Amino acid sequence: MPKDQDTARLEEQRTSGTPSGSWACDLYLSGEAAAQVSFASSLDPAIVNDGLKTSTGFRELADGTGVADGSRRAVLKCGTKDVYFGVRWDSVYPRTLKDTYRSGQAFRDVFRAFVDAAGKQHGCPAVQFPSG
């Protein structure tokens, strides 16, 4: 097997909460990478509020579907509700993505795939995250 295909394998997955409220999933990878990545979503007004949406780094998405902070946090307008989506990488996971995909788009692609999949549960629109 080529080295880049053996870089990271899912070893353990832990989830908490429910997709209809606040939800989190931690993925622990084994192999050469031994990395961790965490995904979260929430409808909780204590999390999804104007303070978050106007915090440093958030910008309006060009298509008007919400706000995003690069390729790690977003608040989307999903019907009548706002939904928070976030991803957190440990210090190893970014190196794994860069080694495997050799592309600056890897983080955005992983985040977009998560938002697209989780967003369907909330009736969220498809989103175009800005480049860079």
Side-chain angles (χ1 to χ4, degrees):
M1 178 179 305
K3 183 177 178 180
D4 64 346
Q5 290 182 6
D6 190 37
T7 308
R9 293 179 309 276
L10 179 62
E11 175 146 327
E12 183 178 354
Q13 174 180 324
R14 295 181 190 164
T15 58
S16 64
T18 62
S20 61
S22 291
W23 173 88
C25 178
D26 296 320
L27 301 177
Y28 298 88
L29 307 175
S30 64
E32 295 175 23
Q36 178 186 352
V37 60
S38 300
F39 299 95
S41 66
S42 183
L43 294 145
D44 187 333
I47 295 171
V48 186
N49 56 45
D50 287 338
L52 171 66
K53 293 186 281 187
T54 60
S55 63
T56 302
F58 276 94
R59 290 180 173 58
E60 286 285 334
L61 294 170
D63 58 6
T65 55
V67 295
D69 177 9
S71 297
R72 59 186 193 97
R73 298 185 301 167
V75 177
L76 301 184
K77 299 171 189 171
C78 304
T80 60
K81 58 193 177 249
D82 288 341
V83 183
Y84 167 81
F85 299 94
V87 64
R88 184 183 58 80
W89 338 88
D90 71 359
S91 61
V92 177
Y93 195 80
R95 288 194 306 264
T96 302
L97 281 179
K98 288 178 184 174
D99 289 347
T100 302
Y101 296 102
R102 306 211 190 296
S103 166
Q105 291 187 2
F107 298 103
R108 188 179 66 220
D109 292 348
V110 168
F111 186 55
R112 183 180 54 229
F114 163 63
V115 171
D116 286 348
K120 287 179 185 177
Q121 298 179 33
H122 302 287
C124 297
V127 175
Q128 290 293 337
F129 291 106
S131 299

